[in-house]
Amino acid sequence: MTTIVALVVVGPLVAAAAGLMWQDRSVVRDVITLGGLGATTAAAAWLLVAVERNGTVVIRVGGWDPDLGIVLVADLFAALILVVAVATILVVEIFAIGQRRTAWGADARLAGPLLLVLTSGVALAIVTGDLFTLFVAFELILISSYVLLTHQGRRGQIRSGMTYVTMNLFASTLFLLGVAFVYSATGTVNFAQLAIRIPELSSELRWGIGLWFLVVFGTKAAIFPLFSWLPDSYPTAPTTITAVFAGLLTKIGVYALIRFHTMMSMEDLGPVILIVAGVTMLVGVAGALAQDDMKRILSFHIVSQIGYMLMGLGLFSVAGVAGAVLFLIHQIPIKTVLFLVGGLVEESEGTSTLDRVGGLAARKPVIALLFALPALSLAGLPPFSGFVAKLALIDAGIADVSVPIVAVALVGSLLTLLSMAKIWLGVFWGGQPNSPAPVPVDSGSVRSHRLMVTATSFAVAATLGIALAAGPLWELSERAAIDLIDPSDYVELVLQ
Amino acid sequence: MSLALVFAVAGLVSVGTFLVTSRSLSRIVLGFSMLGHAAVLALLASGGPAGDPPLADQSDLETIANPLPQALSLTAIVISFGLTLFLLALARRQHLLTGGDLVEDDLEDRRIAYEADDNDEIGSAA
C-alpha cells in the first residue's frame, strides 16, 4: 500500500522521460503520456479508497528517521485533492491531443512530457511531509510551467513569461529563506515535528513565520495584492496549458497554505487572512468585469475564487476549513473546464475577444451548453457544485458570526454572475459581428474537434457529479478538516 | 550564529532585490543569483555553529557541523543554477525577438494608461 504514495510521484517522472525519448513518434508518445496519466489517476483513486478505509498512509523514503529524511504522507486531505488534480490533468491531455492540429495547440513534442513532470510535482507537493520537499515540489511544478508557458517562443509569451518567472522565482527565494528561518527557530523542517514545535514558539516568532509563509504561498496562490502576474501571463499560453495552470497551480498554493497554517495552529492570523480573502474576492471580480476578452475575464476569476478558499481557512473552524477543502475540490475541475470552453470558442471563431464573436448559441449550441453549466456553477447557483461549496463556506461564516466576510462573499458571487452574463451576451447571444474574425489558419479536422468536445463534456459531467456526490464529499471534507485542525493523529503516525 | 553571515545575507538580499526590480533582463538574472546566494547562506547559518566536516564513521558526533542544512543548501544551489540558465535563455530569446534587453511594456497596461489620459483631458476641457 505504501508504495503507491511514492508511485504517484515517481511514475509520471519515468513516463515523462520515456515520452521525451520517443518525442518524434507521436503514437508512442501519446500512448506513454495517456498511459502514465491514466495509471497515476487510477493509483490516486486507489489511494483515496485505502486512506478513507484504513487511515493515513506514511512512507519514509530510504528508511530514514523523520527528522533526517523525507517522509511522504497521504492523509484524507492529500488523497482527495490528489485524485481531483491528476484526473483533471488527464482530461486536459485528451483535449490537448485533439487541439494540437489547430493553430492554438501547444507543441505536442514537449507538452505531453512536460505535463507529466508537472503532474509529478503536483503529486509531490500534495503528499510531502516536510517543508523543504514542498519547496522542491514547487520548483518542479514551476520549472515545467515556465517551459510550458514559453516553449513556443512568441513575443507575447516571452514578455509575460518573464513577469511570471520573475514573480515566482522571487517567491521561491522567499520560500527558501523561510525554510532557513523555520529551521533556525525549531531545528526541523518536518511537518509533524513542526506541528509540535511551532505552537510552542513565542507569539512574535509564530506571527513572523505565519505571515512569511502567507506571502510565499500567497504569491503562488495569487491572493491580493500578489496576484498581478496572473491575469497578464495566463492568457498568452495555449489553451490547454492555461487550463492546467488555472485549475491547478494557484490551487496548489492554496493547498499548501491550508496545510501549513492549520497544522501549525496559526489561528492568530485568522483576521488578517479574512481581510485578505475579502479584498481578493472583490478585486478579482472587479478586474474581471473590466475585461473584454473571455480568457482574461476567466483569469481574473481565478483570483476572485481564491478569496473564497482563503475565507474558509481564515475562519479556522472545522466547518470553515471543510468548506475550503470542498471549494478546492469543486474549483479545480470548474476552472479547467471554463478555459477548455474558451479554447473551443477560439478554435471555432478564431478569437476569444468578446466584441469579435457573437451568436454562438445558435450556431454551436453544444459549446454554449458546455459553457453555461460550469459558468452557473462558478457563480454558485443551485443545483451546481459551486452552490454546495459556497453554501458550506457561508454557513461556516454565519456560525462564526463573521458578518462582513459573509456579506463580501455574497456580493462577490453576484458580481461573478454578472461577468459570466457578460461573456454569455458577448459570445453566445446576439448576431455575428460586422467585422468577422480572421478564419483560423489551420482549422482542425472534424475528428480532433470531436475529441476536444468529448473531453470537455466529460469534464462538465464530472463537475455535475461533484454536485450529486456533495453529501459524501462534504463528509470527507469535514473529516479531512478535523484531521488538519487537530493534527495529533498525523503527528503520531509520522513520528512513531 | 556568526554576525558576519547575517550581514552578508542582508546585503545580498538588498542588492538582489534592487537588481530584480530593474528593467534590464541581465540585471534581473544577476539579481536572482544574488538572492539565491543569500538564501543558501541563510540556510547554512540556520544549522548552528561551524564544526568539523560531517563524514560518516570518521568524525566525532559532538564536534561536527550540522549536515542537514548543508544537504538542503546543495539542493537549493542546483535548482537556482538551473533556473539562472533558463532565465538567460529567456533573455536571449527576448533579445532575438526585440533586439533589446529591457522588459517590454504590457500593451493592456499602456492602453488603459492612454484611456485614463484621454479621460483627464476631456475632464479638464469641460
Side-chain angles (χ1 to χ4, degrees), chain A residues 29-196:
Chain A
R29 190 190 55 220
D30 287 349
V31 168
I32 290 173
T33 312
L34 284 178
L37 285 171
T40 313
T41 312
W46 189 13
L47 191 65
L48 175 62
V49 174
V51 168
E52 199 270 327
R53 286 198 191 140
N54 310 326
T56 307
V57 181
V58 181
I59 176 169
R60 292 180 181 178
V61 179
W64 291 91
D65 281 343
D67 49 348
L68 288 179
I70 297 169
V71 283
L72 303 180
V73 189
D75 58 359
L76 200 51
F77 181 36
L80 269 172
I81 304 299
L82 187 64
V83 172
V84 180
V86 182
T88 307
I89 299 181
L90 177 62
V91 171
V92 172
E93 174 58 24
I94 297 172
F95 185 94
I97 288 177
Q99 197 197 26
R100 74 170 57 133
R101 293 203 192 88
T102 70
W104 284 271
D107 183 350
R109 297 167 67 227
L110 281 174
L114 281 169
L115 267 184
L116 282 164
V117 177
L118 190 99
T119 312
S120 168
V122 167
L124 185 61
I126 290 175
V127 297
T128 179
D130 73 82
L131 203 52
F132 191 76
T133 312
L134 184 61
F135 166 75
V136 175
F138 268 138
E139 288 308 302
L140 201 56
I141 296 173
L142 289 173
I143 290 169
S144 46
S145 75
Y146 298 156
V147 182
L148 281 171
L149 191 66
T150 55
H151 72 277
Q152 290 167 316
R154 294 188 186 132
R155 190 167 174 163
Q157 290 174 341
I158 297 291
R159 179 188 58 71
S160 60
M162 211 60 212
T163 324
Y164 177 76
V165 175
T166 308
M167 270 313 279
N168 279 292
L169 213 47
F170 194 72
S172 298
T173 311
L174 291 183
F175 194 163
L176 208 52
L177 283 168
V179 172
F181 297 153
V182 168
Y183 192 79
S184 317
T186 62
T188 181
V189 287
N190 181 281
F191 281 153
Q193 287 175 327
L194 286 176
I196 301 173

